[in-house]
């Protein structure tokens, strides 16, 4: 069954005290006010994974994600973090292929395919991001770009492996800009992605895949976005840094 998901990508923000306060507030507000079955995934920076895990481990529907990981098993890779380290502190998910990683750290499909394999081998579910830049959209390349991201990073997986992947469609021009894709624009791409998954695997696999929208999701646009038939929730940056705002986004999952 397809899951409804609100994922918080805190990026390189917050100090430890702020991360703890935000997590505690979210746990409390959702316990009091959210009664749905959606999953709430928090993706703090590496230093706070354990801290956050301690606060969410008994909270219904909460999961822990990293924002990135290294593709190798372990060893002499100074400054890097391995999948086994993430699971050892309770992470269940890892964001992979975020456009900021693609843009600033040169991550491409070949590397992301390796990261995906390593994550899955350790039982970590990838939240795999795809999305076009503004110039690609204006050049009419949106579908071909998301197809390249999806197939290059994920379509080597078999259906059982693919069942553990969450997709996030994040148009780069909408990330952190306040310019959200309209619900219709987002739905069009989500539907296209689901069609690609159906063609590669099966209609049943496609129907079971959670496809999140990311890019300036806010409390006041989440209901309409999440109401689209192929949008199963959101990957949220800026608006996930405020407990009240993110709680409203969680409630929009229904
Ligand atoms: P934003 O970021 O919500 O601040 O646009 C989304 C993301 O990059 O995942």
């Amino acid at each position: 069954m397809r899951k409804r998901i609100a994922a918080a990508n805190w990026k390189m923000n917050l100090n430890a005290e702020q991360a703890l306060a935000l997590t505690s507030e979210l746990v409390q507000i959702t316990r009091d006010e959210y009664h749905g079955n959606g999953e709430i995934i928090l993706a703090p920076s590496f230093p706070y994974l354990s801290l956050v895990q301690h606060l969410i481990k008994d909270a219904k529907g909460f999961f822990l994600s990293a924002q990135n990981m290294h593709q190798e098993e372990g060893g002499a890779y100074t400054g890097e973090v391995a999948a086994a380290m993430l699971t050892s502190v309770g992470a269940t998910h890892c964001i992979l292929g975020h456009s900021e990683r693609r843009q600033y750290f040169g991550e491409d499909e070949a590397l992301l395919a390796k990261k995906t394999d390593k994550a899955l081998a350790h039982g970590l579910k990838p939240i795999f991001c795809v999305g076009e830049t503004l110039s690609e959209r204006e050049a009419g390349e949106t579908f071909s770009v998301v197809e390249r991201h999806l197939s290059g990073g994920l379509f080597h997986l078999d259906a059982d492996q693919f069942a553990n992947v969450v997709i996030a469609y994040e148009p780069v021009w909408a990330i952190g800009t306040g310019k959200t894709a309209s619900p219709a624009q987002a739905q069009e791409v989500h539907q296209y992605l689901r069609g690609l998954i159906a063609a590669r695997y099966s209609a049943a696999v496609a129907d079971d895949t959670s496809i999140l929208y990311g890019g300036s999701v806010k409390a006041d646009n989440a209901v309409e976005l999440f109401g689209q038939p192929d949008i199963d929730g959101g990957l949220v940056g800026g608006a996930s840094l405020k407990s009240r705002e993110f709680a409203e986004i969680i409630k929009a999952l229904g």
Side-chain angles (χ1 to χ4, degrees), residues 9 11 98-100 170 174-178 214-217 235-239:
N9 177 10
K11 307 193 181 181
H98 191 280
S99 62
E100 287 149 18
E170 298 208 308
I175 294 176
T177 58
S216 299
V217 175
L235 177 56
V236 187

Side-chain angles (χ1 to χ4, degrees), residues 19 56 122 148 237:
I56 65 171
H122 285 272
R148 189 178 75 232

